[in-house]
Amino acid sequence: EMVREDLKPSDILTREAFLNAVAAVSVLGGSSNAQPHIQAMAAHAGVPLEPSVWQDHGYELPLLLNMQRAACPPCCGSCWKRASCTAMC
């Protein structure tokens, strides 16, 4: 169906799609590393996406889930140890 519609990446990689990505990373407590990667993908797709969009479109959104490892208490990884993780801080 996508072939018949002649759907191309440029049809999908729009400013709105990147703003949705900013929102998704923001509400999921995603890594701060996502910002430069999303910026790079937008630039490669020819979509203008200023760094300020993170504050304009993500700052006021509620945090639904904190996926960052930094969510652990600042300790020596005791929460990882309890989860049987062998990697320690």
Side-chain angles (χ1 to χ4, degrees):
E1 185 175 321
M2 293 170 64
V3 172
R4 279 185 238 122
E5 291 178 20
D6 193 29
L7 192 61
K8 299 176 288 304
S10 59
D11 297 329
I12 298 169
L13 299 175
T14 62
R15 181 169 172 84
E16 292 76 25
F18 285 107
L19 292 177
N20 283 338
V22 168
V25 169
S26 297
V27 300
L28 295 177
S31 172
S32 58
N33 213 13
Q35 190 268 342
H37 290 287
I38 291 174
Q39 292 286 136
M41 289 186 286
H44 188 71
V47 176
L49 193 69
E50 310 76 29
S52 62
V53 300
W54 290 84
Q55 286 190 334
D56 299 339
H57 296 278
Y59 185 75
E60 295 293 327
L61 297 174
L63 181 64
L64 300 178
L65 172 71
N66 195 348
M67 292 177 47
Q68 294 181 9
R69 180 172 177 226
C72 291
C75 59
C76 292
S78 63
C79 54
W80 295 100
K81 189 175 180 181
R82 286 191 304 271
S84 300
C85 179
T86 57
M88 297 297 290
C89 299

